[in-house]
Amino acid sequence: MRTRRTFSPLPDGRCLLEGHKLINLSSNDYLNLAHDPRLISAAASALQEMGVGARASALVSGRTEWHARLEAALADFEETEAAILFPSGYAANLGVVSAIASEGDTIFCDRLNHASLVDGCRLSGARLRVYRNGRLERLRRELEKAASDGKRIIVTDSIFSMDGNQAPLIRLCELAEEYEAILVIDEAHGTGVWGASGRGLAEACGVEERVTIRIGTLSKALGAMGGFVTGSSGLIDWLWNRVRTQIYSTALPPAICAAACAALEIIQDEPERRRVLFERAEFLRNELSQRPHVTVPPSAGPIIPVILGDPGLTMRIASELKDVGFLVGAIRPPTVPEGTSRLRVSVTYAHQRDDLERFLKALDRSLARIGKSG
């Protein structure tokens, strides 16, 4: 059974958990913006100006000046015509996928996709076909077999949250164009991190104009909360009128929108944050790949899975690491497939080289104990 814990985030990649100060290697705050004074100041000013909650859905009366500013800032950042906000990334994925598909359509969903995308596929009522991103011949066969009178929709994360690997976006664009399919990608772990400007993996791969719908999040690298979609004015207007998770949800708090606006400015003004983040992640990944008793799949970026296989062992090592000062995500089925329980190590801009070296030594001690006990 999962248990609930009380957690207090601290600056500089630290946290307080059950009275213990730990180095937080479980966070998605990749650029260390959640505690940035500029975001806090922006949120505090908007809080004084407009109060706490938005008071209603955006469609009714909850879309404030700060929501409009954030939508404009996101459209400018993503170099698109317009943007639409959602209360969470989960709501964006669930709502968009279930809105664009219906009975008679076929959705092609990557096996590693986030639960929110999978749930959106199921809710839509469309036929669901699952493929593996490393074996796209299956996807091609299923695209060929799909009924020609319904829409074909390919849905994928850009960066897979539990493995850290990349979707083959160039090849997916080629298949989508060949079979006249809609391509939907979720840049939750790409926004702010990947690409020369931080727009995500689609930017890094040079395929932004070839992707039909790009979904992003404000709650990871931007250090705030919420989800969004950017695109043409026609697409955004259609989503505004059709997506139930946006229509029937109270809008984001205005203060959160103000903080996200500040985060977008920092991402554009301080590209060195991405460079340093990748350098530190590459160091840790290279070191971890040399450790015995574990498997570190090839990937890039701040998400590093350390696969141990056995769920009990995974929980034990995570507990030992906590006892010596490190919070690491312990991930087991059903979140990941059987036999792939892992430590999900997440590097952020806040982590110093010394933090990572200390973590490696602590993990080595745990792995050595495992080896001695057989």
Side-chain angles (χ1 to χ4, degrees):
M1 295 289 291
R2 272 69 174 165
T3 58
R4 292 185 292 178
R5 303 181 295 189
T6 301
F7 164 89
S8 297
L10 300 173
D12 302 322
R14 269 61 177 169
C15 66
L16 194 65
L17 181 65
E18 299 171 343
H20 301 284
K21 187 175 182 180
L22 309 174
I23 294 174
N24 187 2
L25 290 167
S26 69
S27 169
N28 295 324
D29 183 22
Y30 300 123
L31 298 180
N32 193 35
L33 294 180
H35 231 108
D36 191 284
R38 291 165 289 186
L39 269 69
I40 295 172
S41 176
S45 295
L47 193 63
Q48 290 293 331
E49 176 188 359
M50 294 191 173
V52 179
R55 300 169 178 83
S57 72
L59 188 65
V60 174
S61 62
R63 183 176 181 267
T64 68
E65 177 185 349
W66 276 111
H67 293 83
R69 288 186 193 178
L70 178 55
E71 288 168 352
L74 284 166
D76 182 65
F77 174 68
E78 296 280 353
E79 298 186 353
T80 58
E81 292 178 351
I84 183 172
L85 298 172
F86 290 83
S88 68
Y90 196 109
N93 284 338
L94 182 74
V96 169
V97 175
S98 62
I100 64 173
S102 59
E103 291 185 23
D105 299 332
T106 306
I107 297 180
F108 307 90
C109 180
D110 193 290
R111 179 173 175 265
L112 297 179
N113 277 345
H114 189 268
S116 56
L117 289 174
V118 175
D119 289 350
C121 294
R122 291 171 173 165
L123 184 62
S124 71
R127 290 183 294 270
L128 178 59
R129 301 291 182 265
V130 178
Y131 69 91
R132 296 173 185 252
N133 59 67
R135 303 159 84 176
L136 292 185
E137 67 279 0
R138 164 75 182 274
L139 175 58
R140 174 183 284 279
R141 290 197 301 269
E142 293 294 343
L143 283 164
E144 289 175 348
K145 292 191 297 184
S148 58
D149 58 343
K151 295 190 292 293
R152 299 177 177 92
I153 304 168
I154 302 171
V155 176
T156 185
D157 282 309
S158 65
I159 305 297
F160 296 100
S161 60
M162 292 298 117
D163 292 77
N165 58 326
Q166 307 170 32
L169 291 189
I170 295 175
R171 185 68 182 123
L172 290 176
C173 286
E174 293 170 349
L175 287 170
E177 291 159 0
E178 181 179 352
Y179 291 96
E180 298 182 336
I182 294 169
L183 177 58
V184 180
I185 67 168
D186 176 20
E187 290 272 23
H189 295 272
T191 302
V193 176
W194 289 83
S197 302
R199 292 197 296 270
L201 187 64
E203 181 194 15
C205 294
V207 298
E208 290 173 289
E209 299 302 320
R210 300 168 70 183
V211 175
T212 314
I213 299 177
R214 285 184 283 147
I215 303 170
T217 186
L218 307 169
S219 58
K220 295 179 173 59
L222 272 73
M225 68 174 290
F228 65 89
V229 177
T230 55
S232 68
S233 295
L235 170 65
I236 300 307
D237 287 343
W238 187 88
L239 294 174
W240 175 262
N241 285 276
R242 289 295 298 272
V243 182
R244 295 171 67 86
T245 55
Q246 200 273 348
I247 293 171
Y248 298 108
S249 294
T250 299
L252 287 169
I256 289 295
C257 296
C261 286
L264 286 171
E265 292 181 5
I266 295 170
I267 287 172
Q268 294 171 88
D269 293 344
E270 300 178 11
E272 67 273 10
R273 286 177 179 261
R274 294 190 291 280
R275 178 185 58 79
V276 171
L277 174 64
F278 272 79
E279 287 177 355
R280 291 173 182 164
E282 183 180 10
F283 161 76
L284 186 59
R285 180 177 287 102
N286 289 339
E287 289 291 324
L288 286 169
S289 65
Q290 301 174 33
R291 264 56 187 176
H293 309 295
V294 303
T295 300
V296 179
S299 62
I303 302 170
I304 307 174
V306 181
I307 297 177
L308 298 165
D310 179 76
L313 176 62
T314 301
M315 300 305 295
R316 173 185 156 195
I317 290 184
S319 178
E320 290 184 1
L321 289 169
K322 181 176 74 72
D323 290 342
V324 294
F326 300 91
L327 179 61
V328 181
I331 313 298
R332 50 194 165 136
T335 305
V336 294
E338 293 287 345
T340 68
S341 293
R342 82 251 340 245
L343 303 175
R344 182 190 182 273
V345 182
S346 186
V347 181
T348 74
Y349 176 74
H351 295 131
Q352 303 299 311
R353 178 73 169 259
D354 179 64
D355 296 331
L356 304 180
E357 290 176 344
R358 288 168 54 201
F359 167 72
L360 288 167
K361 291 178 181 177
L363 180 62
D364 284 342
R365 288 192 292 270
S366 287
L367 293 174
R369 280 192 291 273
I370 293 167
K372 290 178 182 178
S373 64

